[in-house]
Amino acid sequence: GENVEQHPSTLSVQEGDSAVIKCTYSDSASNYFPWYKQELGKGPQLIIDIRSNVGEKKDQRIAVTVNKTAKHFSLHITETQPEDSAVYFCAASSSGNEKLTFGTGTRLTIIP
Amino acid sequence: SAVISQKPSRDICQRGTSLTIQCQVDSQVTMMFWYRQQPGQSLTLIATANQGSEATYESGFVIDKFPISRPNLTFSTLTVSNMSPEDSSIYLCSAVRNSNEQFFGPGTRLTVL
């Protein structure tokens, strides 16, 4: 089955700086990679996703990239703000199989 | 996106008892799932809730312990049976409407004493 690794497990960033979270996956059939933000006491919130036939996708301060050959994908948050502090999860699935395999999570702390 | 609600939001239960968690989606979805998230951990898929038929369970999860129903396209229940303290966790339902986009409910925080 699919295995998703996520790094780092914790990340502290000065407000205004950028944050990068990286994930690798094992199953070459995986082609859909969502990212979730989970705030304390809440369910995961889908913030952005990307398919492996698209190299990069941006949404305001958030960008995701995927390298199908190397089997890794990344989340980039620019101009970080205190409200970006949360736990971020990457995940992977394949077309026709919507079951998600999650990474282990990254606790992001933005230092004011 | 889909709006997903869960009831109860939290509960404290005695060992040996059972708890049924309800998940309601605001519109028809193609797939619904149940996940478990232990404190400080990632999400682990328990099962796929199939509409009108038996759920499909992941390795390590069985129907006797986690019976699931999905009587229609917008509603599902998960029962945690014969609970022990090890079942203390957050239980999350999710739904897929189109393509792969999967949205989560707020979770049910279960504590078993």
Side-chain angles (χ1 to χ4, degrees), chain B residues 21-82:
Chain B
I21 302 167
Q22 298 179 5
C23 178
Q24 179 72 56
V25 189
D26 66 339
S27 58
Q28 291 186 359
V29 292
T30 55
M31 303 192 74
M32 295 182 73
F33 300 95
W34 286 96
Y35 290 82
R36 181 172 72 184
Q37 185 178 27
Q38 296 181 310
Q41 303 296 314
S42 186
L43 287 78
T44 300
L45 180 64
I46 297 172
T48 303
N50 299 309
Q51 194 262 324
S53 64
E54 189 172 292
T56 305
Y57 290 85
E58 297 300 304
S59 176
F61 298 96
V62 295
I63 188 171
D64 291 346
K65 177 67 175 177
F66 298 103
I68 289 170
S69 77
R70 187 181 171 195
N72 57 51
L73 291 173
T74 62
F75 184 79
S76 178
T77 66
L78 168 74
T79 299
V80 186
S81 303
N82 188 25

Side-chain angles (χ1 to χ4, degrees), chain A residues 86-107:
Chain A
V87 178
Y88 290 81
F89 291 98
C90 63
S93 71
S94 57
S95 293
N97 180 6
E98 283 77 11
K99 294 193 295 184
L100 290 173
T101 300
F102 280 84
T104 49
T106 297
R107 182 172 298 279

Side-chain angles (χ1 to χ4, degrees), chain A residues 43-95:
Chain A
Q45 175 192 3
L46 178 66
I47 57 172
I48 196 167
D49 57 11
I50 190 169
R51 298 188 185 276
S52 58
N53 60 347
V54 176
E56 182 176 2
K57 182 177 179 180
K58 289 184 179 180
D59 183 3
Q60 300 182 337
R61 296 186 297 108
I62 295 175
V64 289
T65 61
V66 59
N67 184 323
K68 187 176 182 178
T69 303
K71 293 184 187 172
H72 64 70
F73 55 112
S74 301
L75 174 71
H76 303 248
I77 305 175
T78 58
E79 302 173 19
T80 53
Q81 302 168 2
E83 52 266 35
D84 294 331
S85 294
V87 178
Y88 290 81
F89 291 98
C90 63
S93 71
S94 57
S95 293

Side-chain angles (χ1 to χ4, degrees), chain B residues 67-104:
Chain B
I68 289 170
S69 77
R70 187 181 171 195
N72 57 51
L73 291 173
T74 62
F75 184 79
S76 178
T77 66
L78 168 74
T79 299
V80 186
S81 303
N82 188 25
M83 289 184 286
S84 67
E86 293 71 36
D87 294 320
S88 297
S89 192
I90 300 171
Y91 292 86
L92 295 146
C93 72
S94 70
V96 176
R97 177 176 292 141
N98 298 313
S99 64
N100 292 78
E101 291 186 350
Q102 190 165 147
F103 301 95
F104 284 81

